[in-house]
Amino acid sequence: MITMKFGGTSVGDVSRLREVVSIVQSYLAEHPVVVASAMSGVTDALLQTAQLAVERKNDQVEKNIAALREKHLRVAGELIRHRERRDELIHGHSLLFEELLNLYNGVGLLRELSVRSLDAIASFGEILSCLQIAAILTDSGVAAQFVDARTMIRTDAHFGEAAVDFAETNESVRSFLTPLVNAGVVPVVTGFIGRTRDGLTTTLGRSGSDYTGSIIGAALGSDEIWIWTDVDGVMTADPRHVKGAMVLPQISYREAAEMSYFGAKVIHPKTMLPAIENSIPIRIKNTFNPSHPGTLISRDANSTERVVKNVTSIDNLGLVAIEGNGMVGVPGISARIFSALARVRVNVIMISQASSEHNVCIVIPQKDCRKAVDELRSEFEADIARRTIDDIKLQDNMSIVAVVGEGMRGVPGIAGKTFSAVAQANVNIIAIAQGSSELNISLLVEQSDAHKTVQAVHDAFHLA
Ligand code: ADP
Ligand code: ASP
Ligand code: MG
C-alpha cells in the first residue's frame, strides 16, 4: 500500500489533474490512498477574502467567491464527461460556496475574525479539491471515494496549528479507510484539516497536508508515503533563490526535519514524525516529471554523499537579547525566560548564550516579538529595577541561515569553512548556534543579507 499526497500545484489545474489521474491509475496495484491539498492559491484566497469580509467589503468578497467557483467549474467542465456526475459535483460545490458565503457574512456582521473562524474558512479549499478529485477519478474508471479527514483526524483546540491525538486518530483512520482499500476503492482524503472532540474544524498549520499524508500513511502501515509536488525532490537549497541547487537522492528523516524546520518549504517539518515511529520511507516526487526517482527520506543519510546536504533560510524573525552584568552565574535565568515565553505560546527557534553569561539571545518569529518582550519585561521587572538585568532588547528583520547534514558530525572545519564563505560575501553574522548533534549550524543575519549568505555557503560546499 502506498499513501500518496498531492500538493496544491499538483491539483492546481486541468492538465495537472489529468496527470494525477494517470499516476493513480498506474499505481492501482499498490492500493493507493490519496491525500490532497486545495488547488494552488485557493487557501490564500480563502484567507484573504476573510480579511475583506471582516472589513465588510462585500462586493470584493462576492467577486472572490465567484472567481473560486469559476476555477473549480472549469475543472468539472473539462474533466468530467459523465453528465450526471458532473452536475452532482457542481451542485455539491454550490452548496459549499453558499455555506462559505454565510461564514463570510457572519464574520462581517460580527466584525470579528478569530483563528477558529479562519480554520473553518480555510477547510473549504481541501474539501472542494478532494470532492473534485474523487469525481474525476471515478469518471476515469477508478473506483474512488471522497473522505473528509475531519471524521478521522482528532485534534486539540489549538486553532491554526492543532495537535493531533494519535490514539483516536489512528484508530479511526484504520476503521474508516481499511475497508475501502480492501474493497479496491481509492480513498481521496482532505489534507490539512481535522476536528476537535467538540466538532470544531481545525487545521494542522500552513502546508499541513504533507503531515496529513504521513499521519494517514503511518496509521495504515503503508509501505511508503509519497509526496507529489512540483520539483524533482528535496534540493540542496531553495531552487527559486539559489543558483545551482540540485536534487538530493537520499536524506535521513532527521536531515529532512531539520531542513524543513529551518525553512525548506518542500515538506512540512512534522511530516517526518509519524513516518519515523513506524519506519516508513517517504519519497518526494514530481507530478511534472513522474519518472524521476525523486528523494528518498528514510533512516539512512547516504553517508557516501556530500557532508553538507542543504542550506536554507528562514525569514521574518526577531532577536530578543536579555543582557546584564548581574546575570552572570545566577541560576534559573534561562528557565525563567523559557517559562515566560511558553506562557504566551512563543516558539523559540534559536538560542545563543556566550560563556560569560552576560547575554542570552533568543530568536523567535517576528509576529510574536511584541508579546514576548512584554511578557519578559514583566517577568524580569524586579531584576530590571535592581539592575541585575540591564534591558530586554529587540532587533527585527532577521533571518537564520541553516547548514544541515548528518555527515558534518565529527568532520572538522565545517564551521570554519562556513564562516569564511560568509565573511567573503561581506555579511555580518549576529549570532551562531550549533546543536550538540552537529547536524546543523545556524547563523543569524540581517534579512537583507539572507539570500546572499545562502548562496555563498552553498557555493563554498560545492553543492552546485
Ligand atoms: P506543494 O504545493 O506540492 O505542497 P510547495 O510549494 O509547498 O508544494 O513546496 C514545493 C516548493 O518548495 C518547490 O516548488 C520549491 O520552490 C520550494 N522549495 C524550497 N526549498 C526547497 C528545497 N530545499 N528543495 C526543493 N524545493 C524547495
Ligand atoms: N492548502 C493548505 C495550505 O495552503 C495546506 C497545504 O497545501 O498543504 O497551507
Ligand atoms: Mg507544501
Side-chain angles (χ1 to χ4, degrees), residues 22 31 35 42 46 48 66 87 92 110 118 156 165 170 230 236 292 296 299 338 383 388 415 425 428 455:
S22 117
H31 304 289
V35 173
V42 168
L46 288 167
Q48 281 154 14
D87 289 349
L110 294 168
L118 283 171
D156 68 3
D165 175 337
N170 289 344
D230 61 354
T236 49
H292 192 286
L296 173 66
R299 283 207 188 279
F338 294 117
D383 309 73
T388 323
N428 178 35
Q455 186 75 57

Side-chain angles (χ1 to χ4, degrees), residues 87-101:
D87 289 349
E88 195 188 326
L89 176 67
I90 293 173
H91 179 65
H93 275 181
S94 288
L95 295 177
L96 287 167
F97 282 117
E98 261 172 48
E99 207 183 312
L100 182 61
L101 185 59

Side-chain angles (χ1 to χ4, degrees), residues 5 7-9 229-231 233-235 237-240 264-266 310:
K5 177 264 174 175
T9 37
T229 184
D230 61 354
V231 282
V234 177
M235 302 176 83
D238 186 340
R240 286 167 303 184
K265 190 182 166 263
V266 62
N310 181 280

Side-chain angles (χ1 to χ4, degrees), residues 83-191:
R83 174 122 179 250
E84 272 173 35
R85 189 172 294 123
R86 186 170 63 229
D87 289 349
E88 195 188 326
L89 176 67
I90 293 173
H91 179 65
H93 275 181
S94 288
L95 295 177
L96 287 167
F97 282 117
E98 261 172 48
E99 207 183 312
L100 182 61
L101 185 59
N102 284 337
L103 279 180
Y104 285 138
N105 284 338
V107 163
L109 284 172
L110 294 168
R111 281 189 183 263
E112 186 190 63
L113 183 58
S114 60
V115 193
R116 173 172 154 179
S117 310
L118 283 171
D119 274 2
I121 289 166
S123 71
F124 280 76
E126 270 64 18
I127 298 171
L128 289 161
S129 167
C130 290
L131 274 171
Q132 163 172 295
I133 296 167
I136 297 166
L137 284 170
T138 311
D139 200 68
S140 316
V142 175
Q145 188 176 312
F146 167 77
V147 180
D148 186 335
R150 291 176 298 180
T151 54
M152 307 182 294
I153 301 210
R154 197 61 57 243
T155 72
D156 68 3
H158 186 213
F159 298 98
E161 191 166 350
V164 174
D165 175 337
F166 279 94
E168 264 193 58
T169 300
N170 289 344
E171 175 79 33
S172 14
V173 167
R174 282 180 211 122
S175 63
F176 241 89
L177 299 185
T178 311
L180 287 179
V181 175
N182 288 343
V185 174
V186 178
V188 181
V189 186
T190 53

Side-chain angles (χ1 to χ4, degrees), residues 5 7-8 37 206-210 227-229 265-268:
K5 177 264 174 175
S37 293
R206 290 306 305 268
S207 300
S209 297
D210 297 330
I227 310 279
W228 290 93
T229 184
K265 190 182 166 263
V266 62
I267 186 163
H268 189 282

Side-chain angles (χ1 to χ4, degrees), residues 5 11 46 95 167 186 199 204 215 221 276 302 373 382 388 405 416 420:
K5 177 264 174 175
V11 297
L46 288 167
L95 295 177
V186 178
L204 307 182
I215 293 169
I276 292 176
N302 192 357
V373 170
T388 323
S420 58

